[in-house]
């Protein structure tokens, strides 16, 4: 091994699916790696809606990044907020003035939800990207039932028991199924003035179908599964206004005290750091080898970029695409160090997967489609498999089995931001 | 059963150990019960320090109160903040203007930590009473190591890796043991610039020994167990000043970026609501039957009162004393409804129990003292037994077994208050 000061320095920004896959694929390479994230944990985002709806606890789907790379002495983990990139000096700039030098850089900074120019809607219709988003949403959901129990005005009570979810992609569909099950199963018999099972869950979608990225027959299946659970699905309804207790669309007006945003994403500000060209959602337009145009040593992957798959369609913004991008970027770095060449990134779509409540799921592997309880068990086992660590797999398996058998959700806590909540 | 409008109305304020025990003991009585709490959950406070030190997750030690009384249709749960009591009209007054009528009232509102006239120390030396306190403390502890990893000034780094705990009662002792194990076991090998196992944990106590409520030989054992783990124990040192990074005592000055307060408690404001006489810690001086002087239908129990045990000593502020008080108050209410009399409250001390790290504990049943690993296993099994629900028992047992076998703590998350943290 050469002197570590002379080794090739790889900096990875972001410890999500893409960043971790890159680090994994660089194992054994003659490089020093620094991973920078503004959070101390990797988050298993596909299950975040289950934290928001009280089925799982934050620590069941999040792990300290530095623990995940503990046995890789060549990997250094830094908790820090990136504010810019100096391409000439090859430095990543941190908010606290820190500068981290790189030879190769992998940007895997993901995306956040977006309001298409209506940022003023955010306080009324929060989205779901972080653990804090999830515990805040959990609090909102549970407080609505608590307030309804004490409300005597029937109209206000009805609005408190109406939950509007805007956007019927996977997050919106999964949230809708989970919220109605929370109301109809877990909270049943616990209130004295209200019947939580009479809560309305309304899923509002601008497009013509739910789960637009799935095949039409699976979209139709998902819609009917949602309706069977009791969710009201409204399609072709672009939302025109959101206020504290009202959603307006197409002349209609829905009074709902709890409004959830599941409609759009905006990439991280990486394009700005680099002065790179981006699409309307802020995603960097990368080359076919996932490098940033003009910067062959800077890779960008996952939700923060836009790139075409071999079939000519855009690579979707899902965890597996980020993983494939991370592995590819790592393999290019390894090949260059060995003086070899690598062909362009070729995204391989493994399938689409979504769940509706606790007994239906849809899986489309292309060559195989699964729905109903077979789909649900496959979905559950696949997600348990992809969780990190045996302890978490056992823990989530028990939590799910418990809900499945008893209906009791284990994380029904109303907690507050620690500072200034006045609710201690 | 008589018409519910005519039944005797019992209102319980507080869903802690005392309040829940009262409700339990009232099962089958001809009463309607309303339990009011400002939080939606019952909290198993003896394990709160384990949430603060990343061993357990909030949902493993807290349960929705309304779920716990789900199968008792005569019990109504209200989420509400009590602001006063109208003794003449027999009404509990809530912050939002709500009024809850009672025939008998049980006040079980507990205590919070206190700073003996130094409230300005609170931001620098937070205490531990709520789940939010615990997740905030967890964040402080973990961020200290993260900041130390990036700090280049050796003095500042040393202060970042110094943890001062003020007060060597059970909470202080248990926190000190858990913090040093976090540093020496769980975080080992995860940092590149610092060695977390070199962290200093200093336990500062004004009195002459740790765990002053235990017998002297057990106090001495606890001190030596702490020192064996590496905790520095400083006795007879009343703290004179706390600032953001310094603790002063007896002319000495300790630089520590993380300071934890485990030194004092202040009762809830129940004495003020009632205009009742209280001691210096705000505890109501109740009659021998736990009623408030002059109000024979108002009981006050647990940490919010002061009362003498049959041995002439004050009843200690522990969970079991609150439970005994709650059961007693319920039995008085039942006896009165039956036209019977009940003797005064007789507190029975079952024992003292505390733990030092993951392999030593002290238990004093009076007739039997246990220490070392036998004590530890007894402590662990007893706490698992007292947790509510099979799911939580399994979950906590797995979490502890995992830590015991692997040293990995499962809830090492840095999370922020949702609003205005700027860290999403």
């Amino acid at each position: 091994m050469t002197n570590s000061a002379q080794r090739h320095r790889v900096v990875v920004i972001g410890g999500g699916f893409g960043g971790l896959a890159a680090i994994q694929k660089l194992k054994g390479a003659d490089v020093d790696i620094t991973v920078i994230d503004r959070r101390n944990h990797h988050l298993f985002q596909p299950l975040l809606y289950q934290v928001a709806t009280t089925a799982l606890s934050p620590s069941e789907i999040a792990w300290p990044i530095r623990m995940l790379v503990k046995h890789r002495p060549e990997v250094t983990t830094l908790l820090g907020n990136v504010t810019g990139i100096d391409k000439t000096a090859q430095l990543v700039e941190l908010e606290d003035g820190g500068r981290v030098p790189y030879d190769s850089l992998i940007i895997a900074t993901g995306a956040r939800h977006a309001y298409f120019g209506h940022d003023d809607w955010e306080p009324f219709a929060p989205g779901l990207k972080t653990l804090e988003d999830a515990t805040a949403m959990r609090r909102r959901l549970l407080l609505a039932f608590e307030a309804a129990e004490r409300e005597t005005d029937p109209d206000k009570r009805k609005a408190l028991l109406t939950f509007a979810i805007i956007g019927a992609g996977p997050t919106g569909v999964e949230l809708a199924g989970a919220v109605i099950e929370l109301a109809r199963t877990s909270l049943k018999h616990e209130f004295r003035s209200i019947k939580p099972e009479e809560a309305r869950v309304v899923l509002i979608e601008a497009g013509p179908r739910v789960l637009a990225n799935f095949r039409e027959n699976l979209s139709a299946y998902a819609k009917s599964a949602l309706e069977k659970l009791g969710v009201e699905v409204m399609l072709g309804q672009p939302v025109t206004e959101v206020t504290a207790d009202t959603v307006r669309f197409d002349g209609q007006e829905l009074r709902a005290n709890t409004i959830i945003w599941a409609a759009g994403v905006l990439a991280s500000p990486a394009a700005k750091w680099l002065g790179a060209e981006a699409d309307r959602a802020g995603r960097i337009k990368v080359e076919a080898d996932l490098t940033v145009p003009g910067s062959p040593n800077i890779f960008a992957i996952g939700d923060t970029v836009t790139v075409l798959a071999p079939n000519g369609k855009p690579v979707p913004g899902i965890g597996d695409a980020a993983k494939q991008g991370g592995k590819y970027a790592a393999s290019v770095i390894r090949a260059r160090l060995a003086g070899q060449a690598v062909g362009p990134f070729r995204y391989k779509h493994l399938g689409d997967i979504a769940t509706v409540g606790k007994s239906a799921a849809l899986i489309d592997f292309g060559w195989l489609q699964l729905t109903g309880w077979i789909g649900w068990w496959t979905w559950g086992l696949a997600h348990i498999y992809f969780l990190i660590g045996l302890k978490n797999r056992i823990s989530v398996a028990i939590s799910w089995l418990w809900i499945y058998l008893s209906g009791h959700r284990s994380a029904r806590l109303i907690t507050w931001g620690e500072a200034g909540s006045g609710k201690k």
Side-chain angles (χ1 to χ4, degrees), chain A residues 160-195:
Chain A
L160 282 166
L161 290 176
T162 302
F163 300 84
I165 297 165
I166 302 170
T171 301
V173 166
E174 294 181 325
L175 277 170
V179 171
I180 200 138
E181 284 192 343
L182 172 68
R184 298 212 170 172
T185 313
S186 303
L187 298 184
K188 206 175 172 180
H189 302 310
E190 293 194 11
F191 292 79
R192 303 296 173 245
S193 306
I194 59 163
K195 288 196 196 310

Side-chain angles (χ1 to χ4, degrees), chain A residues 40 125 175 290 359:
Chain A
N40 84 320
L175 277 170
L290 301 185
S359 50

Side-chain angles (χ1 to χ4, degrees), chain A residues 113-177:
Chain A
H113 49 270
Y115 291 83
F116 311 126
H118 292 285
D119 284 353
D120 52 313
W121 294 355
E122 181 160 20
F124 311 127
L128 187 62
K129 275 286 178 188
T130 67
L131 286 178
E132 285 84 354
D133 291 343
T135 51
M137 194 175 285
R138 178 174 84 179
R139 182 176 68 231
R140 275 192 187 226
L141 290 168
L142 295 174
L143 278 179
F145 291 97
E146 297 290 341
E149 173 80 344
R150 301 205 38 217
E151 180 59 63
T152 48
D153 179 294
D155 284 343
K156 286 184 184 167
R157 182 182 276 187
K158 201 174 157 193
L160 282 166
L161 290 176
T162 302
F163 300 84
I165 297 165
I166 302 170
T171 301
V173 166
E174 294 181 325
L175 277 170

Side-chain angles (χ1 to χ4, degrees), chain A residues 11-13 85 92 102-107 274 297-299:
Chain A
V11 171
V12 178
I13 309 177
I85 291 163
V92 175
Y102 65 85
D103 297 312
S104 293
L105 177 63
I106 300 176
I107 298 174
L274 297 163
N297 63 335
I298 302 181
F299 298 84

Side-chain angles (χ1 to χ4, degrees), chain A residues 197-209:
Chain A
E197 57 269 36
E198 290 174 0
R200 287 179 71 193
V201 178
V202 185
L203 181 63
I204 306 162
E205 165 61 39
R209 56 191 179 102

Side-chain angles (χ1 to χ4, degrees), chain A residues 9 11 20 59 121 125 164 290 303 316 371 385:
Chain A
R9 293 164 301 184
V11 171
L20 287 189
S59 62
W121 294 355
L290 301 185
D303 286 359
T371 55
Y385 173 79

Side-chain angles (χ1 to χ4, degrees), chain A residues 94-105:
Chain A
L94 302 183
E95 194 175 36
D96 63 1
R99 296 288 176 270
V100 185
Y102 65 85
D103 297 312
S104 293
L105 177 63

